[in-house]
Amino acid sequence: MFGDSLYYPNSSRRMVSMSNQGMIATSQPIAAQVGLEILKSGGNAVDAAIATAAALTVVEPTSNGIGGDAFAIVWIDGEMHGLNASGKSPASISIDAVKALGHKEMPLHGMVPITVPGAPAAWTGLSKRFGNLPFKELLTPAIEIARRGFPVSPTVHQMWEEAYDEYKVYQDPIFDAWYATFAPNGKSPCPGEVWKSEDHANTLSLIAETEGKAFYQGELADAIEAFSQNNGGFLRKEDLMNMTPEWVNPISTQFRGYDIWEIPPNGSGIIALQALAMLDSFAENNLSDPVETLHRRIEVTKLAYADGLKFVTEHSAMGVSVDDLLLPSYLEKRKRLISQEAIDPVNGNPITGGTVYLATADKDGNMVSFIQSNFKNFGSGVVVPGTGISLQNRGWSFSLDPNHYNSLQPSKKTYHTIIPGFITKSGKAIGPFGVMGGFMQPQGHVQLLAGMFADGLNPQAALDTPRWKWVKGKTIEVEPHFPDHLAQALSRRGHHILKSTDSITFGRGQVILRDPNTGVLYGGTEPRTDSSLAVW
């Protein structure tokens, strides 16, 4: 009505946000306001994170949902806690069973790549352990938004339209419930068009009233099993009943005097840690050549990713340990592969002998780094009729090669792209950060942290910096506004540079940093999406 909401011929600027009572950073303004209201109602940072996450399943269903997974790093009462709420593959699935259906590799959509959803278990697990407010109260705003509807934002429209075009090529009735739920008028909603879902609201109400039991043990579990069984899927109620979020110890490395924390595998945060550790040993602060700086950041990321894609899977199946992959002597060997020319990275051998992100902070110093995802767009494209639940396609990451570390097996967690990050210094919390966006995420972590702590940028300026993305081999994609002189210089070093026409695949990040001396919060939010900071 008021011009093209995706057309911006003039550059704009956001300033870093500051507050001292509380802050919510996420990709949707409505969801950020939900979290802020929870803080103002007496909730802590954990309560705000849960409420924001639930609201995001409504206002950004293109990236996350009730049928997706979640991870979190929580700093509360001066201590750090990690939560891995990623679901396993169904107990009845196997490589042979998938190949018997005619697949040579894991399919992207449909019933086969569906794994057990972990997001509702993350919400209830966090609430029981750390929450101040009743769990039901935390989901009430999301329920109300789903019932009354909300105007679809520009970036969400863009992703919605992409998913609509992807699913329609199948001409398969398995996707009918997706169309009935997310394209009731025969098309994806336009920017500003109000979308609502009574089914989604009812499902959230059942989860709220039963503290998740309806989803994993009750009527929602029954509905999921019946639909899966009737349509050749592998997921069963027993798989849902066995879902238990795992409390884990975050892993870390040092970068420019800060401790950078990630969730251990099956999450891919170790890729970011490897890259940052190699980068830190270069003593980049003394380097004045911007081309060499950028070249090194790309090369360490490529080397770390080669290891991650080789080894990361469920922790017990990795064959190497986290300590092996972060061993300084091993990383020094990897770093020696870097020269003036771009390399085609391969994995090393350390053995010797596709999301929404939110950050919250409260006035008491508690902070949460939280991420949840369907994986690719809406996920599998399979919606359980009458529930609004879009089931994730996380199983797409599994390999059908039985010799691969991340090979498909029954009741196994796969390689996971979604990674919440956290920063501390001298044992004090500095704050949560994250960059959502599939395989962009570890690369986004490296670029964001290098921007803040090597280049001296504030959180907003670091998020604003033009990004690059390693694709494969020597191929690097760069954003439309990536400086031409840098792209040309990288090309002369052997990088195959592709300039993208859109920034949507380059990650969408949020940061909240806390000054440990004053308690003042400094926030940055992503310019590449519909994001917002809500401050108090």
Side-chain angles (χ1 to χ4, degrees):
M1 180 179 181
F2 301 108
D4 185 348
S5 59
L6 290 168
Y7 179 62
Y8 298 92
N10 304 308
S11 61
S12 61
R13 184 178 70 177
R14 279 179 169 148
M15 305 300 284
V16 63
S17 297
M18 303 178 192
S19 74
N20 63 356
Q21 292 295 299
M23 185 177 287
I24 313 292
T26 193
S27 53
Q28 293 297 315
I30 294 173
Q33 288 299 319
V34 164
L36 187 62
E37 290 304 315
I38 290 295
L39 286 183
K40 289 183 174 181
S41 299
N44 61 17
V46 173
D47 294 316
I50 296 165
T52 304
L56 282 166
T57 70
V58 182
V59 298
E60 195 171 322
T62 52
S63 305
N64 77 125
I66 302 169
D69 280 345
F71 292 81
I73 298 177
V74 178
W75 181 277
I76 192 162
D77 297 332
E79 294 184 353
M80 181 184 292
H81 308 267
L83 181 67
N84 179 335
S86 61
K88 296 181 178 182
S89 60
S92 63
I93 204 169
S94 67
I95 291 175
D96 289 341
V98 172
K99 287 185 174 180
L101 295 173
H103 300 292
K104 294 182 179 179
E105 56 186 26
M106 285 294 285
L108 175 59
H109 298 124
M111 302 300 299
V112 174
I114 294 170
T115 52
V116 177
W123 304 344
T124 57
L126 287 167
S127 178
K128 286 176 182 175
R129 186 165 182 182
F130 299 121
N132 279 350
L133 300 179
F135 180 71
K136 186 176 180 179
E137 187 175 331
L138 306 180
L139 268 58
T140 298
I143 295 165
E144 293 174 349
I145 296 166
R147 286 218 164 95
R148 71 170 182 260
F150 71 97
V152 171
S153 56
T155 304
V156 168
H157 152 74
Q158 194 175 0
M159 294 187 289
W160 210 311
E161 191 167 42
E162 178 185 306
Y164 179 87
D165 290 340
E166 282 189 359
Y167 299 145
K168 74 179 181 183
V169 303
Y170 291 108
Q171 300 294 311
D172 188 330
I174 196 70
F175 299 103
D176 286 352
W178 184 90
Y179 285 105
T181 302
F182 295 108
N185 298 319
K187 64 178 183 63
S188 58
C190 297
E193 184 176 337
V194 174
W195 178 85
K196 60 184 176 181
S197 174
E198 192 68 28
D199 288 343
H200 197 123
N202 292 337
T203 290
L204 286 173
S205 294
L206 284 170
I207 292 171
E209 290 164 5
T210 64
E211 295 188 341
K213 292 185 178 64
F215 189 89
Y216 292 103
Q217 303 171 25
E219 59 187 275
L220 293 172
D222 291 335
I224 293 169
E225 178 180 58
F227 187 70
S228 177
Q229 198 160 20
N230 292 338
N231 289 277
F234 296 94
L235 192 63
R236 297 292 183 267
K237 185 176 182 179
E238 185 176 359
D239 297 313
L240 296 164
M241 292 177 68
N242 289 333
M243 173 63 203
T244 304
E246 181 184 2
W247 293 100
V248 298
N249 293 319
I251 57 177
S252 70
T253 194
Q254 277 212 334
F255 182 69
R256 299 297 186 266
Y258 292 87
D259 292 306
I260 312 301
W261 299 85
E262 303 273 1
I263 295 290
N266 58 317
S268 58
I270 192 168
I271 295 172
L273 296 184
Q274 276 193 311
L276 289 166
M278 285 188 277
L279 204 57
D280 199 51
S281 66
F282 271 122
E284 211 177 63
N285 279 335
N286 300 320
L287 191 65
S288 60
D289 182 354
V291 178
E292 179 65 16
T293 297
L294 190 54
H295 172 71
R296 287 180 179 180
R297 292 177 186 180
I298 290 171
E299 296 298 274
V300 297
T301 301
K302 286 160 59 176
L303 287 169
Y305 236 119
D307 274 2
L309 293 174
K310 171 72 173 181
F311 296 112
V312 172
T313 184
E314 186 172 75
H315 191 268
S316 61
M318 280 180 58
V320 298
S321 71
V322 167
D323 290 341
D324 290 333
L325 290 168
L326 292 177
L327 194 66
S329 59
Y330 171 66
L331 293 178
E332 183 62 30
K333 251 187 233 180
R334 298 288 280 155
K335 196 181 74 173
R336 286 183 203 140
L337 297 173
I338 298 172
S339 68
Q340 293 294 302
E341 292 290 316
I343 61 172
D344 194 346
V346 295
N347 63 277
N349 180 11
I351 304 173
T352 54
T355 307
V356 293
Y357 174 79
L358 67 96
T360 64
D362 63 29
K363 60 183 176 58
D364 298 317
N366 303 313
M367 293 182 279
V368 178
S369 183
F370 187 98
I371 196 163
Q372 65 185 16
S373 174
N374 292 332
F375 196 18
K376 183 69 167 64
N377 288 335
F378 285 85
S380 63
V382 174
V383 171
V384 182
T387 69
I389 300 170
S390 183
L391 294 167
Q392 66 182 351
N393 57 344
R394 186 57 62 177
W396 182 43
S397 294
F398 278 120
S399 171
L400 295 186
D401 176 359
N403 296 315
H404 196 286
Y405 287 107
N406 195 39
S407 63
L408 174 66
Q409 294 174 25
S411 302
K412 181 183 179 182
K413 292 182 178 183
T414 187
Y415 171 104
H416 231 290
T417 57
I418 65 174
I419 50 173
F422 203 91
I423 306 160
T424 63
K425 187 171 186 177
S426 303
K428 295 181 179 180
I430 301 300
F433 71 94
V435 181
M436 53 184 164
F439 290 92
M440 178 67 199
Q441 293 185 51
Q443 307 186 57
H445 282 207
V446 171
Q447 292 174 63
L448 174 63
L449 292 165
M452 290 193 296
F453 301 136
D455 301 338
L457 299 176
N458 70 58
Q460 187 58 59
L463 286 169
D464 292 344
T465 302
R467 291 184 191 142
W468 49 266
K469 178 176 61 176
W470 176 65
V471 179
K472 63 179 179 179
K474 299 180 182 181
T475 301
I476 305 292
E477 288 185 6
V478 297
E479 288 193 275
H481 55 296
F482 191 90
D484 284 341
H485 68 280
L486 291 178
Q488 291 161 7
L490 290 172
S491 180
R492 290 193 293 272
R493 290 191 176 216
H495 297 279
H496 180 207
I497 304 297
L498 301 176
K499 183 160 275 198
S500 177
T501 59
D502 200 313
S503 291
I504 198 167
T505 64
F506 288 85
R508 304 187 299 284
Q510 312 291 335
V511 190
I512 298 176
L513 303 182
R514 182 177 186 270
D515 185 328
N517 297 315
T518 65
V520 171
L521 302 167
Y522 297 78
T525 191
E526 182 59 64
R528 296 165 184 83
T529 190
D530 315 309
S531 61
S532 176
L533 275 164
V535 301
W536 182 27

PDB file of all heavy atoms in Angstrom, residues 249-272:
ATOM      1  N   ASN A 249      27.618 -29.048  29.112  1.00  0.00           N
ATOM      2  CA  ASN A 249      28.603 -28.030  29.459  1.00  0.00           C
ATOM      3  C   ASN A 249      29.087 -27.364  28.169  1.00  0.00           C
ATOM      4  O   ASN A 249      29.654 -28.047  27.304  1.00  0.00           O
ATOM      5  CB  ASN A 249      29.791 -28.654  30.192  1.00  0.00           C
ATOM      6  CG  ASN A 249      29.412 -29.200  31.551  1.00  0.00           C
ATOM      7  OD1 ASN A 249      28.644 -28.575  32.282  1.00  0.00           O
ATOM      8  ND2 ASN A 249      29.934 -30.367  31.899  1.00  0.00           N
ATOM      9  N   PRO A 250      28.868 -26.059  28.009  1.00  0.00           N
ATOM     10  CA  PRO A 250      29.366 -25.381  26.814  1.00  0.00           C
ATOM     11  C   PRO A 250      30.880 -25.518  26.673  1.00  0.00           C
ATOM     12  O   PRO A 250      31.603 -25.697  27.659  1.00  0.00           O
ATOM     13  CB  PRO A 250      28.950 -23.926  27.037  1.00  0.00           C
ATOM     14  CG  PRO A 250      27.754 -24.006  27.940  1.00  0.00           C
ATOM     15  CD  PRO A 250      28.067 -25.155  28.866  1.00  0.00           C
ATOM     16  N   ILE A 251      31.356 -25.438  25.436  1.00  0.00           N
ATOM     17  CA  ILE A 251      32.775 -25.528  25.135  1.00  0.00           C
ATOM     18  C   ILE A 251      33.271 -24.149  24.699  1.00  0.00           C
ATOM     19  O   ILE A 251      32.473 -23.312  24.268  1.00  0.00           O
ATOM     20  CB  ILE A 251      33.059 -26.579  24.046  1.00  0.00           C
ATOM     21  CG1 ILE A 251      32.270 -26.264  22.764  1.00  0.00           C
ATOM     22  CG2 ILE A 251      32.705 -27.965  24.569  1.00  0.00           C
ATOM     23  CD1 ILE A 251      32.543 -27.216  21.609  1.00  0.00           C
ATOM     24  N   SER A 252      34.585 -23.909  24.800  1.00  0.00           N
ATOM     25  CA  SER A 252      35.048 -22.541  24.560  1.00  0.00           C
ATOM     26  C   SER A 252      36.446 -22.490  23.976  1.00  0.00           C
ATOM     27  O   SER A 252      37.206 -23.469  24.007  1.00  0.00           O
ATOM     28  CB  SER A 252      35.016 -21.729  25.855  1.00  0.00           C
ATOM     29  OG  SER A 252      36.024 -22.173  26.741  1.00  0.00           O
ATOM     30  N   THR A 253      36.768 -21.321  23.459  1.00  0.00           N
ATOM     31  CA  THR A 253      38.134 -20.971  23.093  1.00  0.00           C
ATOM     32  C   THR A 253      38.315 -19.495  23.396  1.00  0.00           C
ATOM     33  O   THR A 253      37.335 -18.778  23.635  1.00  0.00           O
ATOM     34  CB  THR A 253      38.420 -21.250  21.608  1.00  0.00           C
ATOM     35  OG1 THR A 253      39.830 -21.202  21.382  1.00  0.00           O
ATOM     36  CG2 THR A 253      37.751 -20.230  20.698  1.00  0.00           C
ATOM     37  N   GLN A 254      39.562 -19.039  23.394  1.00  0.00           N
ATOM     38  CA  GLN A 254      39.818 -17.614  23.619  1.00  0.00           C
ATOM     39  C   GLN A 254      39.987 -16.885  22.290  1.00  0.00           C
ATOM     40  O   GLN A 254      40.561 -17.422  21.336  1.00  0.00           O
ATOM     41  CB  GLN A 254      41.085 -17.422  24.458  1.00  0.00           C
ATOM     42  CG  GLN A 254      40.845 -17.569  25.948  1.00  0.00           C
ATOM     43  CD  GLN A 254      41.760 -16.688  26.772  1.00  0.00           C
ATOM     44  OE1 GLN A 254      42.852 -16.323  26.363  1.00  0.00           O
ATOM     45  NE2 GLN A 254      41.304 -16.341  27.966  1.00  0.00           N
ATOM     46  N   PHE A 255      39.462 -15.667  22.252  1.00  0.00           N
ATOM     47  CA  PHE A 255      39.648 -14.813  21.089  1.00  0.00           C
ATOM     48  C   PHE A 255      39.785 -13.375  21.549  1.00  0.00           C
ATOM     49  O   PHE A 255      38.862 -12.817  22.134  1.00  0.00           O
ATOM     50  CB  PHE A 255      38.475 -14.959  20.104  1.00  0.00           C
ATOM     51  CG  PHE A 255      38.628 -14.128  18.856  1.00  0.00           C
ATOM     52  CD1 PHE A 255      39.604 -14.447  17.920  1.00  0.00           C
ATOM     53  CD2 PHE A 255      37.832 -13.006  18.629  1.00  0.00           C
ATOM     54  CE1 PHE A 255      39.771 -13.692  16.767  1.00  0.00           C
ATOM     55  CE2 PHE A 255      37.989 -12.233  17.494  1.00  0.00           C
ATOM     56  CZ  PHE A 255      38.969 -12.573  16.554  1.00  0.00           C
ATOM     57  N   ARG A 256      40.945 -12.807  21.314  1.00  0.00           N
ATOM     58  CA  ARG A 256      41.254 -11.418  21.664  1.00  0.00           C
ATOM     59  C   ARG A 256      40.939 -11.089  23.128  1.00  0.00           C
ATOM     60  O   ARG A 256      40.404 -10.039  23.459  1.00  0.00           O
ATOM     61  CB  ARG A 256      40.497 -10.455  20.742  1.00  0.00           C
ATOM     62  CG  ARG A 256      40.844 -10.607  19.272  1.00  0.00           C
ATOM     63  CD  ARG A 256      42.330 -10.266  19.034  1.00  0.00           C
ATOM     64  NE  ARG A 256      42.651 -10.258  17.610  1.00  0.00           N
ATOM     65  CZ  ARG A 256      43.146 -11.290  16.925  1.00  0.00           C
ATOM     66  NH1 ARG A 256      43.364 -12.446  17.555  1.00  0.00           N
ATOM     67  NH2 ARG A 256      43.416 -11.200  15.643  1.00  0.00           N
ATOM     68  N   GLY A 257      41.257 -12.044  24.013  1.00  0.00           N
ATOM     69  CA  GLY A 257      41.082 -11.809  25.443  1.00  0.00           C
ATOM     70  C   GLY A 257      39.717 -12.167  25.980  1.00  0.00           C
ATOM     71  O   GLY A 257      39.481 -12.060  27.189  1.00  0.00           O
ATOM     72  N   TYR A 258      38.810 -12.594  25.119  1.00  0.00           N
ATOM     73  CA  TYR A 258      37.471 -13.000  25.537  1.00  0.00           C
ATOM     74  C   TYR A 258      37.334 -14.518  25.426  1.00  0.00           C
ATOM     75  O   TYR A 258      37.966 -15.151  24.571  1.00  0.00           O
ATOM     76  CB  TYR A 258      36.404 -12.337  24.667  1.00  0.00           C
ATOM     77  CG  TYR A 258      36.298 -10.839  24.858  1.00  0.00           C
ATOM     78  CD1 TYR A 258      37.104  -9.970  24.137  1.00  0.00           C
ATOM     79  CD2 TYR A 258      35.381 -10.300  25.772  1.00  0.00           C
ATOM     80  CE1 TYR A 258      37.011  -8.593  24.310  1.00  0.00           C
ATOM     81  CE2 TYR A 258      35.291  -8.928  25.949  1.00  0.00           C
ATOM     82  CZ  TYR A 258      36.110  -8.080  25.221  1.00  0.00           C
ATOM     83  OH  TYR A 258      36.017  -6.727  25.397  1.00  0.00           O
ATOM     84  N   ASP A 259      36.506 -15.096  26.270  1.00  0.00           N
ATOM     85  CA  ASP A 259      36.162 -16.508  26.153  1.00  0.00           C
ATOM     86  C   ASP A 259      34.873 -16.620  25.340  1.00  0.00           C
ATOM     87  O   ASP A 259      33.845 -16.030  25.707  1.00  0.00           O
ATOM     88  CB  ASP A 259      35.970 -17.143  27.536  1.00  0.00           C
ATOM     89  CG  ASP A 259      37.274 -17.227  28.305  1.00  0.00           C
ATOM     90  OD1 ASP A 259      38.245 -17.786  27.761  1.00  0.00           O
ATOM     91  OD2 ASP A 259      37.335 -16.717  29.442  1.00  0.00           O
ATOM     92  N   ILE A 260      34.929 -17.376  24.249  1.00  0.00           N
ATOM     93  CA  ILE A 260      33.784 -17.565  23.361  1.00  0.00           C
ATOM     94  C   ILE A 260      33.236 -18.960  23.587  1.00  0.00           C
ATOM     95  O   ILE A 260      33.969 -19.954  23.488  1.00  0.00           O
ATOM     96  CB  ILE A 260      34.189 -17.386  21.883  1.00  0.00           C
ATOM     97  CG1 ILE A 260      35.014 -16.097  21.700  1.00  0.00           C
ATOM     98  CG2 ILE A 260      32.958 -17.415  20.997  1.00  0.00           C
ATOM     99  CD1 ILE A 260      34.301 -14.823  22.116  1.00  0.00           C
ATOM    100  N   TRP A 261      31.943 -19.026  23.884  1.00  0.00           N
ATOM    101  CA  TRP A 261      31.307 -20.296  24.274  1.00  0.00           C
ATOM    102  C   TRP A 261      30.297 -20.750  23.228  1.00  0.00           C
ATOM    103  O   TRP A 261      29.553 -19.943  22.681  1.00  0.00           O
ATOM    104  CB  TRP A 261      30.618 -20.140  25.628  1.00  0.00           C
ATOM    105  CG  TRP A 261      31.547 -19.783  26.742  1.00  0.00           C
ATOM    106  CD1 TRP A 261      31.971 -18.528  27.095  1.00  0.00           C
ATOM    107  CD2 TRP A 261      32.199 -20.687  27.637  1.00  0.00           C
ATOM    108  NE1 TRP A 261      32.841 -18.588  28.157  1.00  0.00           N
ATOM    109  CE2 TRP A 261      33.002 -19.905  28.513  1.00  0.00           C
ATOM    110  CE3 TRP A 261      32.181 -22.071  27.788  1.00  0.00           C
ATOM    111  CZ2 TRP A 261      33.759 -20.479  29.521  1.00  0.00           C
ATOM    112  CZ3 TRP A 261      32.944 -22.639  28.796  1.00  0.00           C
ATOM    113  CH2 TRP A 261      33.726 -21.846  29.652  1.00  0.00           C
ATOM    114  N   GLU A 262      30.271 -22.059  23.003  1.00  0.00           N
ATOM    115  CA  GLU A 262      29.321 -22.687  22.087  1.00  0.00           C
ATOM    116  C   GLU A 262      28.805 -23.989  22.719  1.00  0.00           C
ATOM    117  O   GLU A 262      29.402 -24.517  23.659  1.00  0.00           O
ATOM    118  CB  GLU A 262      29.990 -23.021  20.743  1.00  0.00           C
ATOM    119  CG  GLU A 262      30.627 -21.841  20.021  1.00  0.00           C
ATOM    120  CD  GLU A 262      29.652 -21.084  19.133  1.00  0.00           C
ATOM    121  OE1 GLU A 262      28.465 -21.465  19.087  1.00  0.00           O
ATOM    122  OE2 GLU A 262      30.083 -20.113  18.479  1.00  0.00           O
ATOM    123  N   ILE A 263      27.698 -24.495  22.168  1.00  0.00           N
ATOM    124  CA  ILE A 263      27.187 -25.806  22.579  1.00  0.00           C
ATOM    125  C   ILE A 263      28.040 -26.887  21.910  1.00  0.00           C
ATOM    126  O   ILE A 263      28.379 -26.773  20.727  1.00  0.00           O
ATOM    127  CB  ILE A 263      25.705 -25.958  22.162  1.00  0.00           C
ATOM    128  CG1 ILE A 263      24.834 -24.954  22.925  1.00  0.00           C
ATOM    129  CG2 ILE A 263      25.209 -27.384  22.393  1.00  0.00           C
ATOM    130  CD1 ILE A 263      24.687 -25.237  24.401  1.00  0.00           C
ATOM    131  N   PRO A 264      28.415 -27.959  22.636  1.00  0.00           N
ATOM    132  CA  PRO A 264      29.243 -29.012  22.024  1.00  0.00           C
ATOM    133  C   PRO A 264      28.458 -29.820  20.982  1.00  0.00           C
ATOM    134  O   PRO A 264      27.223 -29.748  20.937  1.00  0.00           O
ATOM    135  CB  PRO A 264      29.632 -29.881  23.219  1.00  0.00           C
ATOM    136  CG  PRO A 264      28.546 -29.673  24.220  1.00  0.00           C
ATOM    137  CD  PRO A 264      28.110 -28.244  24.051  1.00  0.00           C
ATOM    138  N   PRO A 265      29.153 -30.588  20.146  1.00  0.00           N
ATOM    139  CA  PRO A 265      28.458 -31.424  19.158  1.00  0.00           C
ATOM    140  C   PRO A 265      27.413 -32.310  19.831  1.00  0.00           C
ATOM    141  O   PRO A 265      27.610 -32.735  20.971  1.00  0.00           O
ATOM    142  CB  PRO A 265      29.585 -32.265  18.568  1.00  0.00           C
ATOM    143  CG  PRO A 265      30.815 -31.404  18.763  1.00  0.00           C
ATOM    144  CD  PRO A 265      30.594 -30.714  20.072  1.00  0.00           C
ATOM    145  N   ASN A 266      26.263 -32.486  19.136  1.00  0.00           N
ATOM    146  CA  ASN A 266      26.072 -32.470  17.703  1.00  0.00           C
ATOM    147  C   ASN A 266      25.916 -31.086  17.074  1.00  0.00           C
ATOM    148  O   ASN A 266      25.715 -30.961  15.855  1.00  0.00           O
ATOM    149  CB  ASN A 266      24.846 -33.294  17.321  1.00  0.00           C
ATOM    150  CG  ASN A 266      23.557 -32.799  17.983  1.00  0.00           C
ATOM    151  OD1 ASN A 266      23.506 -32.464  19.185  1.00  0.00           O
ATOM    152  ND2 ASN A 266      22.473 -32.788  17.235  1.00  0.00           N
ATOM    153  N   GLY A 267      25.987 -30.006  17.852  1.00  0.00           N
ATOM    154  CA  GLY A 267      25.967 -28.664  17.301  1.00  0.00           C
ATOM    155  C   GLY A 267      27.271 -28.351  16.584  1.00  0.00           C
ATOM    156  O   GLY A 267      28.330 -28.911  16.906  1.00  0.00           O
ATOM    157  N   SER A 268      27.200 -27.424  15.618  1.00  0.00           N
ATOM    158  CA  SER A 268      28.374 -27.112  14.796  1.00  0.00           C
ATOM    159  C   SER A 268      29.152 -25.906  15.322  1.00  0.00           C
ATOM    160  O   SER A 268      29.990 -25.358  14.611  1.00  0.00           O
ATOM    161  CB  SER A 268      27.940 -26.864  13.349  1.00  0.00           C
ATOM    162  OG  SER A 268      26.987 -25.808  13.276  1.00  0.00           O
ATOM    163  N   GLY A 269      28.907 -25.502  16.550  1.00  0.00           N
ATOM    164  CA  GLY A 269      29.629 -24.376  17.129  1.00  0.00           C
ATOM    165  C   GLY A 269      31.123 -24.591  17.208  1.00  0.00           C
ATOM    166  O   GLY A 269      31.902 -23.625  17.217  1.00  0.00           O
ATOM    167  N   ILE A 270      31.543 -25.854  17.239  1.00  0.00           N
ATOM    168  CA  ILE A 270      32.980 -26.131  17.302  1.00  0.00           C
ATOM    169  C   ILE A 270      33.693 -25.627  16.055  1.00  0.00           C
ATOM    170  O   ILE A 270      34.888 -25.315  16.092  1.00  0.00           O
ATOM    171  CB  ILE A 270      33.235 -27.646  17.506  1.00  0.00           C
ATOM    172  CG1 ILE A 270      34.703 -27.884  17.863  1.00  0.00           C
ATOM    173  CG2 ILE A 270      32.797 -28.464  16.289  1.00  0.00           C
ATOM    174  CD1 ILE A 270      34.996 -29.271  18.363  1.00  0.00           C
ATOM    175  N   ILE A 271      32.985 -25.496  14.930  1.00  0.00           N
ATOM    176  CA  ILE A 271      33.578 -24.937  13.715  1.00  0.00           C
ATOM    177  C   ILE A 271      34.007 -23.493  13.971  1.00  0.00           C
ATOM    178  O   ILE A 271      35.123 -23.087  13.622  1.00  0.00           O
ATOM    179  CB  ILE A 271      32.578 -25.010  12.541  1.00  0.00           C
ATOM    180  CG1 ILE A 271      32.279 -26.468  12.188  1.00  0.00           C
ATOM    181  CG2 ILE A 271      33.105 -24.252  11.324  1.00  0.00           C
ATOM    182  CD1 ILE A 271      31.161 -26.633  11.166  1.00  0.00           C
ATOM    183  N   ALA A 272      33.119 -22.724  14.572  1.00  0.00           N
ATOM    184  CA  ALA A 272      33.457 -21.335  14.900  1.00  0.00           C
ATOM    185  C   ALA A 272      34.638 -21.276  15.866  1.00  0.00           C
ATOM    186  O   ALA A 272      35.539 -20.430  15.720  1.00  0.00           O
ATOM    187  CB  ALA A 272      32.248 -20.629  15.495  1.00  0.00           C
TER     188      ALA A 272
END
